[in-house]
Amino acid sequence: MVATAATSAFIPVPSPSAPDPGFKPKKLANLGGMKSKLTSSGGLQVKANAQAPPKINGSSVSLTTPVETVKHEVEMSSSSSSSPPPRTFINTLPDWSMLLAAITTIFLAAEKQWMMLDWKPRRPDMDMLIDPFGLGRIVQDGFVFRQNFSIRSYEIGADRTASIETMMNHLQETALNHVKTAGLLGDGFGSTPEMCKKNLIWVVARMQVVVDRYPTWGDVVQVDTSVGPSGKNGMRRNWLVRDYKTGEILTRASSVWVMMNKKTRKLSKIPEEVRGEIEPYFLDSDPVVEEDSRKLQKLDDNTADYVRTGLAPRWSDLDVNQHVNNVKYIGWILESAPLKILESHELAAMTLEYRRECGRDSVLQSLTAVSSNGVGNLASLADIECQHLLRLEDGAEIVRGRTVWRPKYAENFGTFGQLPAESA
């Protein structure tokens, strides 16, 4: 009977015969939360009871139709497709590129602040003048450029000290880096933007150097350089070379520079536009070397004691302005210095006057005259002074010079690597 009632809820069952007039319908039992009653047509009418869920063996169960089950599965599949993928170890890692960029920014900022501790810029734009990559920096209120150099093994000579050419190259390097760091470097060799527009370049007119002590292999030297006015149409540049560890002054140098037209190769006055560029960096100070005002002598074949001929520049001796680098002139001057002086003495001071430039096709002669008493006793002399001339074959003067030499300990060296007792 229960099966028939449940089936009649979906499929009506027709009555085979007319109902008995004396038959009275009875109330049927509760069938799993449904109530059924006999209709007048002889079928059963079932009503669902939503308030009392059925129980089996004392446990509540739910009766879900197949349609509701399918609907529930569709809703679950749609919700799972729209949800984000589960978090794994790979997609929870941080963005390393952003992290590295942040670390780099913090490091550069900290390094810049550290380098600014020993000076305070007078002008607000001077913060840009610090080079954080070790090529030098601006100090002393923006008027002095400082750079360190380590003496390499290929920069020392036979007496195991840095050569004078090495020292001069350090001076020239700091001068160019000063212009570059100050933001005044145009497309020329140390020329400012206004100088480039007018085809002007700097040429050295006079150089004076005093060497108190030569550094050795492995030493670190600290070079300070600054610029100032020199007359109406000149610029003075000073250098101080110190031992980086002790602060001892090793070399002092002062030079005067003038302008020359790159095309006509003639000297030029300083234009006002160029003066406006360089004057903010002028430091009004005395030369670091006491100027030697003595006139440099002119030598010839009769007054010279030593002559060296056939000196010609190589392609590597030219700079970007297509003339011989001024440091090369020093090497040519020393070509005619007597060997006895080179072996027993070291260069202590030097004064040079540059008269004209030298091209790549020039052939030069180097002349030297020893001013001290007696040429034959050079090794026994305390201080020796020499006069020098570098000229073209036709007699045109390139450089006049004077050098002062002091004794060194080379004569006390027995074998290589042995130091004299005074230096041990």
Side-chain angles (χ1 to χ4, degrees):
M1 182 177 177
V2 175
T4 305
T7 304
S8 62
F10 300 96
I11 303 175
V13 181
S15 176
S17 60
D20 187 1
F23 176 77
K24 294 182 180 179
K26 296 181 179 180
K27 187 177 181 180
L28 298 180
N30 190 355
L31 301 177
M34 294 183 295
K35 295 181 180 180
S36 62
K37 62 180 180 177
L38 185 64
T39 60
S40 58
S41 59
L44 292 176
Q45 183 178 2
V46 182
K47 292 184 179 181
N49 187 359
Q51 295 180 355
K55 293 183 180 182
I56 299 178
N57 295 331
S59 300
S60 300
V61 296
S62 60
L63 298 177
T64 305
T65 63
V67 177
E68 293 175 345
T69 302
V70 173
K71 181 179 180 181
H72 177 71
E73 292 177 354
V74 172
E75 291 176 353
M76 290 295 294
S77 61
S78 61
S79 62
S80 62
S81 61
S82 61
S83 62
R87 296 179 62 87
T88 62
F89 174 76
I90 298 299
N91 60 21
T92 56
L93 291 177
D95 191 342
W96 294 108
S97 60
M98 296 295 294
L99 181 60
L100 291 177
I103 293 175
T104 303
T105 303
I106 295 174
F107 177 81
L108 293 178
E111 184 178 20
K112 181 177 180 179
Q113 292 297 325
W114 175 260
M115 297 176 64
M116 293 175 60
L117 290 179
D118 62 335
W119 72 288
K120 295 183 180 298
R122 179 172 298 178
R123 296 183 294 274
D125 58 339
M126 293 299 293
D127 288 350
M128 300 176 60
L129 304 185
I130 295 180
D131 188 350
F133 300 103
L135 297 180
R137 55 176 176 154
I138 300 291
V139 297
Q140 297 184 17
D141 291 336
F143 293 104
V144 177
F145 179 79
R146 175 173 296 170
Q147 186 171 1
N148 297 337
F149 296 92
S150 177
I151 305 302
R152 311 295 182 181
S153 60
Y154 52 82
E155 295 176 328
I156 62 175
D159 52 359
R160 296 181 292 175
T161 59
S163 63
I164 186 62
E165 289 91 343
T166 295
M167 304 298 294
M168 298 301 295
N169 282 326
H170 291 170
L171 303 187
Q172 180 172 278
E173 182 70 11
T174 53
L176 293 175
N177 287 336
H178 186 190
V179 178
K180 179 181 179 181
T181 308
L184 295 178
L185 186 62
D187 58 356
F189 196 55
S191 300
T192 66
E194 288 296 332
M195 291 176 61
C196 294
K197 294 179 181 179
K198 302 180 183 299
N199 294 315
L200 297 175
I201 59 175
W202 288 111
V203 292
V204 59
R206 185 180 177 89
M207 176 78 70
Q208 193 170 348
V209 182
V210 175
V211 181
D212 297 326
R213 182 175 69 83
Y214 285 90
T216 61
W217 175 31
D219 289 347
V220 177
V221 297
Q222 183 181 83
V223 184
D224 287 0
T225 182
S226 61
V227 293
S230 178
K232 294 182 179 180
N233 294 296
M235 182 183 71
R236 179 179 298 277
R237 179 172 287 277
N238 296 325
W239 290 276
L240 272 179
V241 182
R242 297 183 177 89
D243 187 294
Y244 178 76
K245 293 182 179 180
T246 64
E248 174 192 1
I249 295 179
L250 305 179
T251 304
R252 294 164 289 148
S254 181
S255 61
V256 176
W257 298 73
V258 294
M259 288 191 177
M260 184 179 73
N261 190 286
K262 191 175 181 179
K263 293 184 176 180
T264 63
R265 317 306 288 186
K266 294 182 179 180
L267 298 182
S268 172
K269 295 182 179 181
I270 300 180
E272 291 300 323
E273 295 83 358
V274 177
R275 193 180 301 274
E277 288 180 319
I278 61 179
E279 278 189 348
Y281 300 92
F282 281 177
L283 179 63
D284 190 8
S285 62
D286 297 330
V288 296
V289 179
E290 184 178 354
E291 186 173 357
D292 188 353
S293 59
R294 294 179 297 167
K295 184 178 179 180
L296 297 177
Q297 299 179 8
K298 180 180 179 180
L299 299 181
D300 54 29
D301 294 334
N302 298 323
T303 58
D305 298 318
Y306 303 90
V307 178
R308 176 70 182 272
T309 61
L311 301 175
R314 299 171 298 178
W315 177 257
S316 59
D317 297 330
L318 304 178
D319 58 24
V320 297
N321 292 324
Q322 296 298 313
H323 68 188
V324 176
N325 191 294
N326 63 82
V327 178
K328 185 62 181 179
Y329 294 152
I330 299 175
W332 282 336
I333 286 175
L334 300 181
E335 285 286 340
S336 60
L339 183 59
K340 291 184 178 180
I341 293 181
L342 298 178
E343 291 177 343
S344 60
H345 290 68
E346 64 182 6
L347 184 62
M350 174 177 58
T351 302
L352 302 175
E353 285 184 0
Y354 294 84
R355 298 303 181 94
R356 74 176 67 220
E357 64 177 337
C358 173
R360 63 181 180 180
D361 298 327
S362 303
V363 180
L364 299 90
Q365 299 175 347
S366 177
L367 291 75
T368 296
V370 180
S371 302
S372 299
N373 297 328
V375 178
N377 299 323
L378 295 177
S380 61
L381 295 177
D383 293 333
I384 302 176
E385 185 176 281
C386 298
Q387 304 292 329
H388 303 274
L389 175 65
L390 193 64
R391 69 184 184 184
L392 298 176
E393 286 186 325
D394 59 3
E397 295 186 359
I398 302 296
V399 180
R400 286 187 186 185
R402 178 172 48 246
T403 57
V404 178
W405 303 77
R406 60 171 173 255
K408 62 181 179 181
Y409 295 109
E411 57 189 55
N412 297 329
F413 285 75
T415 59
F416 184 80
Q418 179 181 354
L419 291 174
E422 295 84 355
S423 301

